[in-house]
Amino acid sequence: HCLFSGLFMKILYGIQGTGNGHISRCRVMAKYLAERADVEVTYLFSGREKEKLFDMEVFGDFEHRDGLTFVTKAGKIDYLATIKRNNLFQFMRDIRNLDVSSYDLVITDFEPVSAWAAKRAGKPTLAVGHQYAFGPNTPLAGENAVAKFIMKHFAPAQVSFGLHWSNYDANVLPPIIDVSLEKTSEKGPVLVYLPFEEQATITRLLNTFTSFEFVQYSQELSDGQQDNVALRTTCHDGFKADLKRASGVICNSGFELNSECIHLGIPILTKPINGQMEQESNALAIEQLGLGKVMLEIDTHIIDAWLNTEWQVKQMNTPDVAKALVEWIMSEIKPTQHEFSKQLWQSTAF
């Protein structure tokens, strides 16, 4: 684990742009890295078109590559569209052409171009992300040989820290979230964020629950109002403000938003993307740990029952993992991964 340390470090930080979870987590890391005089960081994003990235000021003059991503249709992975969307020749070219020689360390949050360029050049690499938490003890659902292969080889690193809601393995840390998030109200509208579903269908469904108010976010929506549903285009500050006052959250089973809900003590109704191992496994963990309610399809009866139930919520008192991790990365004498993980779980409480 002492592959890297120095008085001053130049870091390349690769971030997967599919969904907003990776970016949301890395915003917190970027804030702490920016406070230090002994490090210079260049951020690289891939997996989403550059013009679709928003509120990126914290990352400065960042790099962008096409990378690899998956395409969904109506809440399921569309394998044919995914194959068409990803240009493997361009991907290989980007890996070959990314010059990492001037960096002391490459960090990857499941971003493959930076990870493979570093591997090719023999550079020290550190992976930090939820996908690296899937060791032998972590709940798995929807797994198949292809999904396991992708999880293992998509963005490799010499040292990896996984993030999860329980200390399943020696390299697993609690979630990286903005720990300054605090509830502003318990009685706000139900926040709905299902970016991989068909948005008009979701709005019509929510309109049938006339005694509840909803705020629905998606990059596909324009700001507006449709009966009891406030429609919002995804933006960082507005979303966080609505999350802090939400009386409940209906969302896909990505890691970051569910982690924020668990930290804030907000009731969760979560739906995994069909055919996506990570999300199906997250839904299973949420169920096993008693952190929320799961629905495998968009189901009116389940939504109705969830809306009309007073939930006893397990709230997770999450430590400031990002701050501790930046200190770990930059310190010359580091505790082992297991010791570091143990310290952070000791200050985590439900």
Side-chain angles (χ1 to χ4, degrees), residues 47-119:
R48 190 195 306 192
E49 296 91 329
K50 191 174 185 180
E51 60 277 8
K52 288 190 177 170
L53 295 165
F54 57 88
D55 299 335
M56 300 292 282
E57 297 75 21
V58 70
F59 302 111
D61 190 11
F62 62 88
E63 298 269 319
H64 180 271
R65 300 292 185 278
D66 285 350
L68 299 171
T69 188
F70 61 83
V71 179
T72 60
K73 191 176 177 183
K76 295 180 173 66
I77 288 191
D78 185 330
Y79 287 100
L80 191 62
T82 297
I83 291 163
K84 285 180 185 168
R85 158 75 175 77
N86 290 308
N87 183 337
L88 285 176
F89 295 108
Q90 183 61 49
F91 176 61
M92 303 301 279
R93 253 197 313 273
D94 284 345
I95 291 168
R96 272 200 310 275
N97 296 338
L98 181 61
D99 181 8
V100 295
S101 60
S102 66
Y103 296 104
D104 303 301
L105 172 67
V106 175
I107 303 177
T108 179
D109 188 325
F110 213 53
E111 195 294 304
V113 179
S114 56
W116 280 101
K119 189 176 171 82

Side-chain angles (χ1 to χ4, degrees), residues 189-241:
V190 175
L191 175 70
V192 180
Y193 183 58
L194 295 162
F196 303 105
E197 311 294 328
E198 214 280 304
Q199 295 306 308
T201 309
I202 297 297
T203 312
R204 283 195 299 273
L205 174 69
L206 298 174
N207 286 152
T208 63
F209 299 104
T210 50
S211 53
F212 293 89
E213 295 292 318
F214 300 94
V215 55
Q216 179 186 351
Y217 273 90
S218 167
Q219 273 190 284
E220 294 166 31
L221 294 171
S222 303
D223 290 355
Q225 187 80 26
Q226 189 172 312
D227 298 334
N228 60 332
V229 183
L231 306 172
R232 296 284 180 267
T233 189
T234 314
C235 69
H236 180 260
D237 293 349
F239 185 86
K240 289 288 188 273

Side-chain angles (χ1 to χ4, degrees), residues 1-21:
H1 60 275
C2 287
L3 290 164
F4 47 87
S5 64
L7 298 173
F8 181 85
M9 274 167 68
K10 269 190 82 176
I11 294 176
L12 176 66
Y13 201 140
I15 300 162
Q16 175 61 249
T18 304
N20 290 314

